[in-house]
Amino acid sequence: AFNHGIEYGGIRRLNYFGRILLLIVLLIVCAVFAGALASEGGGFTLILVLIGFLVFFVFYIRFALLRIRNMGASGWWLLLMLVPIASNALAIALLSCPEGFAHHKKMDTPGIVVAVILGGLTLLSFIGNLASVFV
């Protein structure tokens, strides 16, 4: 709606969400399979888990780069995933910002709803973790 005829490429937020959700499900299936092998005495369980995490990591980086490109931002922003609190903000932005956000700086209604929900859950998690330190 805001892109003014500019094509950004990459993947949109719903496509990104679906791909990440599929990756998480596949990682869980891999972990369950590895756990079943471990209970039977399989010796290569750790190797299977490491391969699963490596595949997850490679595909996650690929999908995040496509999503950042769709937002109109530089792929270098993905380095924020290495900074603990900034990685939460980037994850929320990847799921909530519309196409071309880096250029027009306008959120649409679904993006605002997603950002408020995820931001609120992140804040509650932070407060809960902080409270558990002092209790």
Short mmCIF file of all heavy atoms in Angstrom, two decimals, residues 73-130:
data_model
loop_
_atom_site.label_atom_id
_atom_site.label_comp_id
_atom_site.label_asym_id
_atom_site.label_seq_id
_atom_site.Cartn_x
_atom_site.Cartn_y
_atom_site.Cartn_z
N ALA A 73 15.55 -2.46 3.89
CA ALA A 73 16.72 -2.16 4.71
C ALA A 73 17.92 -2.98 4.23
O ALA A 73 17.79 -3.90 3.43
CB ALA A 73 16.43 -2.47 6.18
N SER A 74 19.08 -2.64 4.75
CA SER A 74 20.31 -3.34 4.42
C SER A 74 20.39 -4.67 5.17
O SER A 74 19.96 -4.77 6.32
CB SER A 74 21.52 -2.47 4.80
OG SER A 74 22.70 -3.22 4.75
N GLY A 75 20.97 -5.67 4.54
CA GLY A 75 21.15 -6.96 5.18
C GLY A 75 22.07 -6.91 6.38
O GLY A 75 22.05 -7.80 7.23
N TRP A 76 22.87 -5.85 6.48
CA TRP A 76 23.77 -5.71 7.62
C TRP A 76 23.01 -5.56 8.93
O TRP A 76 23.55 -5.81 10.01
CB TRP A 76 24.70 -4.51 7.41
CG TRP A 76 25.73 -4.77 6.35
CD1 TRP A 76 25.71 -4.29 5.08
CD2 TRP A 76 26.89 -5.58 6.47
NE1 TRP A 76 26.81 -4.76 4.38
CE2 TRP A 76 27.55 -5.55 5.21
CE3 TRP A 76 27.44 -6.34 7.49
CZ2 TRP A 76 28.73 -6.24 4.98
CZ3 TRP A 76 28.62 -7.03 7.25
CH2 TRP A 76 29.25 -6.97 6.01
N TRP A 77 21.74 -5.16 8.86
CA TRP A 77 20.93 -5.04 10.07
C TRP A 77 20.78 -6.39 10.77
O TRP A 77 20.51 -6.46 11.97
CB TRP A 77 19.55 -4.47 9.75
CG TRP A 77 19.58 -2.99 9.59
CD1 TRP A 77 19.62 -2.30 8.41
CD2 TRP A 77 19.59 -2.01 10.62
NE1 TRP A 77 19.66 -0.95 8.66
CE2 TRP A 77 19.64 -0.75 10.01
CE3 TRP A 77 19.57 -2.08 12.00
CZ2 TRP A 77 19.67 0.43 10.75
CZ3 TRP A 77 19.59 -0.91 12.73
CH2 TRP A 77 19.64 0.33 12.10
N LEU A 78 20.97 -7.46 10.03
CA LEU A 78 20.85 -8.79 10.62
C LEU A 78 21.91 -9.04 11.70
O LEU A 78 21.72 -9.87 12.58
CB LEU A 78 20.94 -9.87 9.53
CG LEU A 78 20.51 -11.26 9.93
CD1 LEU A 78 19.06 -11.25 10.41
CD2 LEU A 78 20.66 -12.21 8.78
N LEU A 79 22.99 -8.28 11.66
CA LEU A 79 24.01 -8.41 12.70
C LEU A 79 23.48 -8.03 14.08
O LEU A 79 24.07 -8.39 15.10
CB LEU A 79 25.24 -7.55 12.35
CG LEU A 79 26.08 -8.07 11.19
CD1 LEU A 79 27.19 -7.08 10.87
CD2 LEU A 79 26.65 -9.44 11.50
N LEU A 80 22.36 -7.31 14.13
CA LEU A 80 21.74 -6.99 15.42
C LEU A 80 21.29 -8.24 16.16
O LEU A 80 21.08 -8.20 17.37
CB LEU A 80 20.55 -6.05 15.22
CG LEU A 80 20.89 -4.59 14.95
CD1 LEU A 80 19.60 -3.80 14.71
CD2 LEU A 80 21.67 -4.00 16.10
N MET A 81 21.16 -9.36 15.45
CA MET A 81 20.79 -10.60 16.11
C MET A 81 21.86 -11.06 17.10
O MET A 81 21.60 -11.89 17.95
CB MET A 81 20.53 -11.72 15.09
CG MET A 81 19.25 -11.57 14.35
SD MET A 81 17.86 -11.81 15.47
CE MET A 81 16.51 -11.62 14.36
N LEU A 82 23.05 -10.49 17.02
CA LEU A 82 24.13 -10.84 17.93
C LEU A 82 24.07 -10.04 19.23
O LEU A 82 24.77 -10.36 20.19
CB LEU A 82 25.48 -10.62 17.25
CG LEU A 82 25.74 -11.43 15.99
CD1 LEU A 82 27.03 -11.01 15.33
CD2 LEU A 82 25.75 -12.92 16.31
N VAL A 83 23.24 -9.00 19.27
CA VAL A 83 23.09 -8.15 20.46
C VAL A 83 21.80 -8.55 21.16
O VAL A 83 20.71 -8.47 20.56
CB VAL A 83 23.05 -6.66 20.06
CG1 VAL A 83 22.93 -5.77 21.29
CG2 VAL A 83 24.26 -6.30 19.23
N PRO A 84 21.87 -8.99 22.43
CA PRO A 84 20.71 -9.59 23.09
C PRO A 84 19.39 -8.80 23.01
O PRO A 84 18.41 -9.32 22.51
CB PRO A 84 21.16 -9.75 24.54
CG PRO A 84 22.64 -9.92 24.42
CD PRO A 84 23.05 -9.04 23.28
N ILE A 85 19.32 -7.59 23.46
CA ILE A 85 18.04 -6.87 23.47
C ILE A 85 17.68 -6.40 22.06
O ILE A 85 16.51 -6.42 21.66
CB ILE A 85 18.07 -5.71 24.48
CG1 ILE A 85 18.19 -6.28 25.89
CG2 ILE A 85 16.83 -4.85 24.36
CD1 ILE A 85 18.34 -5.27 26.98
N ALA A 86 18.67 -6.01 21.29
CA ALA A 86 18.42 -5.56 19.92
C ALA A 86 17.87 -6.70 19.06
O ALA A 86 17.09 -6.46 18.14
CB ALA A 86 19.70 -5.01 19.30
N SER A 87 18.26 -7.94 19.36
CA SER A 87 17.75 -9.06 18.58
C SER A 87 16.24 -9.23 18.78
O SER A 87 15.53 -9.59 17.83
CB SER A 87 18.47 -10.35 18.96
OG SER A 87 18.20 -10.72 20.30
N ASN A 88 15.75 -8.93 19.97
CA ASN A 88 14.30 -8.98 20.20
C ASN A 88 13.59 -7.91 19.37
O ASN A 88 12.54 -8.18 18.76
CB ASN A 88 13.97 -8.78 21.67
CG ASN A 88 14.39 -9.95 22.53
OD1 ASN A 88 14.73 -11.01 22.01
ND2 ASN A 88 14.39 -9.77 23.83
N ALA A 89 14.14 -6.71 19.36
CA ALA A 89 13.54 -5.63 18.58
C ALA A 89 13.57 -5.95 17.09
O ALA A 89 12.59 -5.70 16.37
CB ALA A 89 14.27 -4.31 18.85
N LEU A 90 14.66 -6.53 16.61
CA LEU A 90 14.75 -6.89 15.19
C LEU A 90 13.75 -7.99 14.85
O LEU A 90 13.10 -7.94 13.80
CB LEU A 90 16.17 -7.32 14.83
CG LEU A 90 16.39 -7.68 13.37
CD1 LEU A 90 16.06 -6.50 12.46
CD2 LEU A 90 17.80 -8.16 13.14
N ALA A 91 13.61 -8.98 15.73
CA ALA A 91 12.65 -10.05 15.48
C ALA A 91 11.22 -9.50 15.39
O ALA A 91 10.44 -9.91 14.52
CB ALA A 91 12.74 -11.11 16.57
N ILE A 92 10.89 -8.56 16.26
CA ILE A 92 9.57 -7.93 16.21
C ILE A 92 9.41 -7.14 14.92
O ILE A 92 8.37 -7.19 14.27
CB ILE A 92 9.35 -7.04 17.45
CG1 ILE A 92 9.24 -7.92 18.71
CG2 ILE A 92 8.10 -6.18 17.30
CD1 ILE A 92 9.26 -7.16 20.01
N ALA A 93 10.45 -6.42 14.51
CA ALA A 93 10.39 -5.64 13.27
C ALA A 93 10.21 -6.55 12.07
O ALA A 93 9.44 -6.24 11.15
CB ALA A 93 11.65 -4.80 13.11
N LEU A 94 10.91 -7.68 12.04
CA LEU A 94 10.80 -8.61 10.91
C LEU A 94 9.38 -9.15 10.78
O LEU A 94 8.91 -9.42 9.68
CB LEU A 94 11.78 -9.77 11.07
CG LEU A 94 13.26 -9.43 10.88
CD1 LEU A 94 14.13 -10.64 11.20
CD2 LEU A 94 13.53 -8.94 9.48
N LEU A 95 8.70 -9.32 11.90
CA LEU A 95 7.34 -9.86 11.87
C LEU A 95 6.26 -8.80 11.71
O LEU A 95 5.13 -9.12 11.38
CB LEU A 95 7.08 -10.68 13.13
CG LEU A 95 7.80 -12.02 13.20
CD1 LEU A 95 7.72 -12.60 14.60
CD2 LEU A 95 7.21 -12.98 12.19
N SER A 96 6.60 -7.53 11.94
CA SER A 96 5.54 -6.52 11.95
C SER A 96 5.66 -5.44 10.86
O SER A 96 4.64 -4.91 10.44
CB SER A 96 5.47 -5.84 13.32
OG SER A 96 6.67 -5.18 13.61
N CYS A 97 6.84 -5.12 10.42
CA CYS A 97 6.99 -4.02 9.46
C CYS A 97 6.50 -4.39 8.07
O CYS A 97 6.78 -5.48 7.58
CB CYS A 97 8.45 -3.59 9.38
SG CYS A 97 9.02 -2.78 10.88
N PRO A 98 5.78 -3.50 7.41
CA PRO A 98 5.30 -3.78 6.06
C PRO A 98 6.41 -3.64 5.02
O PRO A 98 7.51 -3.17 5.32
CB PRO A 98 4.22 -2.72 5.84
CG PRO A 98 4.62 -1.59 6.71
CD PRO A 98 5.29 -2.21 7.90
N GLU A 99 6.09 -4.02 3.81
CA GLU A 99 7.04 -3.93 2.70
C GLU A 99 7.48 -2.48 2.50
O GLU A 99 6.67 -1.56 2.53
CB GLU A 99 6.37 -4.44 1.43
CG GLU A 99 7.25 -4.41 0.22
CD GLU A 99 6.58 -4.97 -1.02
OE1 GLU A 99 5.33 -5.09 -1.02
OE2 GLU A 99 7.30 -5.27 -1.97
N GLY A 100 8.78 -2.26 2.37
CA GLY A 100 9.31 -0.93 2.12
C GLY A 100 9.35 -0.02 3.33
O GLY A 100 9.50 1.19 3.19
N PHE A 101 9.25 -0.56 4.52
CA PHE A 101 9.18 0.25 5.73
C PHE A 101 10.40 1.17 5.89
O PHE A 101 10.27 2.29 6.37
CB PHE A 101 9.05 -0.63 6.97
CG PHE A 101 9.02 0.13 8.26
CD1 PHE A 101 7.88 0.80 8.63
CD2 PHE A 101 10.14 0.21 9.07
CE1 PHE A 101 7.84 1.53 9.82
CE2 PHE A 101 10.12 0.93 10.25
CZ PHE A 101 8.96 1.59 10.62
N ALA A 102 11.57 0.73 5.46
CA ALA A 102 12.78 1.55 5.61
C ALA A 102 12.67 2.85 4.83
O ALA A 102 13.31 3.84 5.18
CB ALA A 102 14.00 0.76 5.15
N HIS A 103 11.83 2.89 3.80
CA HIS A 103 11.71 4.10 2.99
C HIS A 103 10.54 4.99 3.41
O HIS A 103 10.68 6.20 3.49
CB HIS A 103 11.59 3.73 1.51
CG HIS A 103 12.82 3.07 1.00
ND1 HIS A 103 12.81 1.82 0.45
CD2 HIS A 103 14.11 3.48 0.99
CE1 HIS A 103 14.04 1.48 0.11
NE2 HIS A 103 14.85 2.47 0.43
N HIS A 104 9.39 4.39 3.68
CA HIS A 104 8.22 5.23 3.98
C HIS A 104 7.96 5.41 5.46
O HIS A 104 7.20 6.29 5.84
CB HIS A 104 6.96 4.70 3.27
CG HIS A 104 6.65 3.27 3.56
ND1 HIS A 104 6.24 2.83 4.79
CD2 HIS A 104 6.69 2.19 2.76
CE1 HIS A 104 6.02 1.53 4.74
NE2 HIS A 104 6.30 1.11 3.52
N LYS A 105 8.54 4.61 6.33
CA LYS A 105 8.45 4.73 7.79
C LYS A 105 7.01 4.77 8.31
O LYS A 105 6.72 5.45 9.28
CB LYS A 105 9.19 5.97 8.29
CG LYS A 105 10.60 6.11 7.81
CD LYS A 105 11.53 5.28 8.65
CE LYS A 105 12.97 5.62 8.40
NZ LYS A 105 13.64 4.81 7.45
N LYS A 106 6.11 4.03 7.66
CA LYS A 106 4.71 4.00 8.08
C LYS A 106 4.29 2.57 8.35
O LYS A 106 4.51 1.69 7.52
CB LYS A 106 3.80 4.61 7.02
CG LYS A 106 4.04 6.08 6.82
CD LYS A 106 3.14 6.63 5.75
CE LYS A 106 3.48 8.10 5.56
NZ LYS A 106 3.12 8.58 4.25
N MET A 107 3.68 2.36 9.51
CA MET A 107 3.17 1.03 9.86
C MET A 107 1.71 0.94 9.44
O MET A 107 0.97 1.92 9.54
CB MET A 107 3.27 0.80 11.37
CG MET A 107 4.69 0.66 11.87
SD MET A 107 5.46 -0.87 11.38
CE MET A 107 4.67 -2.00 12.49
N ASP A 108 1.29 -0.24 9.02
CA ASP A 108 -0.11 -0.46 8.74
C ASP A 108 -0.75 -1.11 9.97
O ASP A 108 -0.07 -1.44 10.94
CB ASP A 108 -0.29 -1.32 7.48
CG ASP A 108 0.46 -2.64 7.56
OD1 ASP A 108 1.17 -2.89 8.55
OD2 ASP A 108 0.32 -3.44 6.62
N THR A 109 -2.07 -1.24 9.95
CA THR A 109 -2.79 -1.75 11.12
C THR A 109 -2.35 -3.15 11.54
O THR A 109 -2.10 -3.36 12.73
CB THR A 109 -4.32 -1.71 10.86
OG1 THR A 109 -4.68 -0.36 10.52
CG2 THR A 109 -5.08 -2.15 12.08
N PRO A 110 -2.25 -4.13 10.63
CA PRO A 110 -1.78 -5.45 11.08
C PRO A 110 -0.38 -5.39 11.69
O PRO A 110 -0.10 -6.08 12.68
CB PRO A 110 -1.77 -6.29 9.80
CG PRO A 110 -2.67 -5.61 8.86
CD PRO A 110 -2.61 -4.16 9.21
N GLY A 111 0.48 -4.57 11.15
CA GLY A 111 1.83 -4.43 11.70
C GLY A 111 1.82 -3.85 13.09
O GLY A 111 2.58 -4.29 13.97
N ILE A 112 0.96 -2.87 13.32
CA ILE A 112 0.85 -2.26 14.66
C ILE A 112 0.35 -3.29 15.66
O ILE A 112 0.88 -3.41 16.77
CB ILE A 112 -0.06 -1.02 14.62
CG1 ILE A 112 0.62 0.09 13.82
CG2 ILE A 112 -0.40 -0.55 16.03
CD1 ILE A 112 -0.28 1.28 13.52
N VAL A 113 -0.66 -4.07 15.27
CA VAL A 113 -1.22 -5.09 16.16
C VAL A 113 -0.15 -6.12 16.52
O VAL A 113 0.03 -6.46 17.70
CB VAL A 113 -2.46 -5.76 15.52
CG1 VAL A 113 -2.89 -6.98 16.30
CG2 VAL A 113 -3.60 -4.76 15.40
N VAL A 114 0.56 -6.61 15.52
CA VAL A 114 1.61 -7.60 15.76
C VAL A 114 2.71 -7.02 16.65
O VAL A 114 3.18 -7.67 17.58
CB VAL A 114 2.19 -8.13 14.43
CG1 VAL A 114 3.45 -8.95 14.64
CG2 VAL A 114 1.16 -8.94 13.68
N ALA A 115 3.14 -5.79 16.37
CA ALA A 115 4.20 -5.16 17.16
C ALA A 115 3.78 -4.97 18.61
O ALA A 115 4.58 -5.20 19.53
CB ALA A 115 4.59 -3.83 16.53
N VAL A 116 2.54 -4.55 18.83
CA VAL A 116 2.07 -4.34 20.21
C VAL A 116 1.99 -5.67 20.96
O VAL A 116 2.44 -5.77 22.11
CB VAL A 116 0.70 -3.61 20.21
CG1 VAL A 116 0.05 -3.67 21.58
CG2 VAL A 116 0.87 -2.18 19.77
N ILE A 117 1.47 -6.69 20.32
CA ILE A 117 1.37 -8.00 20.97
C ILE A 117 2.75 -8.57 21.28
O ILE A 117 3.04 -8.97 22.42
CB ILE A 117 0.55 -8.99 20.11
CG1 ILE A 117 -0.91 -8.57 20.09
CG2 ILE A 117 0.68 -10.42 20.63
CD1 ILE A 117 -1.77 -9.34 19.11
N LEU A 118 3.63 -8.60 20.28
CA LEU A 118 4.97 -9.16 20.50
C LEU A 118 5.80 -8.29 21.45
O LEU A 118 6.54 -8.82 22.29
CB LEU A 118 5.69 -9.34 19.17
CG LEU A 118 5.12 -10.40 18.24
CD1 LEU A 118 5.89 -10.43 16.94
CD2 LEU A 118 5.13 -11.76 18.90
N GLY A 119 5.67 -6.98 21.32
CA GLY A 119 6.38 -6.09 22.24
C GLY A 119 5.90 -6.26 23.67
O GLY A 119 6.70 -6.28 24.61
N GLY A 120 4.59 -6.40 23.84
CA GLY A 120 4.03 -6.63 25.17
C GLY A 120 4.49 -7.95 25.77
O GLY A 120 4.86 -8.02 26.95
N LEU A 121 4.50 -9.01 24.96
CA LEU A 121 4.97 -10.30 25.45
C LEU A 121 6.46 -10.26 25.80
O LEU A 121 6.89 -10.85 26.80
CB LEU A 121 4.70 -11.39 24.42
CG LEU A 121 3.23 -11.78 24.22
CD1 LEU A 121 3.10 -12.75 23.05
CD2 LEU A 121 2.66 -12.38 25.48
N THR A 122 7.23 -9.55 25.00
CA THR A 122 8.66 -9.40 25.29
C THR A 122 8.87 -8.64 26.58
O THR A 122 9.71 -9.02 27.41
CB THR A 122 9.37 -8.70 24.12
OG1 THR A 122 9.17 -9.45 22.93
CG2 THR A 122 10.85 -8.53 24.38
N LEU A 123 8.11 -7.57 26.77
CA LEU A 123 8.21 -6.78 28.00
C LEU A 123 7.80 -7.61 29.22
O LEU A 123 8.47 -7.57 30.26
CB LEU A 123 7.35 -5.52 27.89
CG LEU A 123 7.43 -4.54 29.05
CD1 LEU A 123 8.85 -4.02 29.20
CD2 LEU A 123 6.47 -3.39 28.83
N LEU A 124 6.71 -8.37 29.10
CA LEU A 124 6.29 -9.23 30.21
C LEU A 124 7.34 -10.28 30.53
O LEU A 124 7.60 -10.57 31.70
CB LEU A 124 4.96 -9.92 29.88
CG LEU A 124 3.71 -9.06 29.98
CD1 LEU A 124 2.49 -9.85 29.49
CD2 LEU A 124 3.49 -8.61 31.41
N SER A 125 7.96 -10.83 29.52
CA SER A 125 9.02 -11.81 29.73
C SER A 125 10.21 -11.18 30.44
O SER A 125 10.78 -11.75 31.37
CB SER A 125 9.46 -12.39 28.38
OG SER A 125 10.57 -13.21 28.54
N PHE A 126 10.57 -9.98 30.02
CA PHE A 126 11.68 -9.27 30.65
C PHE A 126 11.38 -8.97 32.11
O PHE A 126 12.21 -9.18 32.99
CB PHE A 126 11.97 -7.98 29.88
CG PHE A 126 13.09 -7.17 30.47
CD1 PHE A 126 14.40 -7.58 30.35
CD2 PHE A 126 12.82 -5.99 31.15
CE1 PHE A 126 15.43 -6.84 30.89
CE2 PHE A 126 13.85 -5.23 31.69
CZ PHE A 126 15.16 -5.65 31.58
N ILE A 127 10.16 -8.50 32.39
CA ILE A 127 9.76 -8.18 33.77
C ILE A 127 9.74 -9.45 34.61
O ILE A 127 10.18 -9.47 35.76
CB ILE A 127 8.41 -7.46 33.78
CG1 ILE A 127 8.55 -6.06 33.20
CG2 ILE A 127 7.83 -7.38 35.20
CD1 ILE A 127 7.23 -5.35 32.94
N GLY A 128 9.22 -10.54 34.04
CA GLY A 128 9.18 -11.82 34.76
C GLY A 128 10.57 -12.32 35.10
O GLY A 128 10.82 -12.81 36.20
N ASN A 129 11.49 -12.22 34.14
CA ASN A 129 12.86 -12.65 34.40
C ASN A 129 13.54 -11.76 35.42
O ASN A 129 14.29 -12.24 36.28
CB ASN A 129 13.68 -12.66 33.10
CG ASN A 129 13.32 -13.81 32.21
OD1 ASN A 129 12.97 -14.88 32.69
ND2 ASN A 129 13.39 -13.60 30.92
N LEU A 130 13.28 -10.47 35.36
CA LEU A 130 13.85 -9.54 36.31
C LEU A 130 13.30 -9.80 37.71
O LEU A 130 14.05 -9.78 38.70
CB LEU A 130 13.56 -8.10 35.87
CG LEU A 130 14.35 -6.99 36.53
CD1 LEU A 130 15.82 -7.17 36.26
CD2 LEU A 130 13.87 -5.65 36.03
#
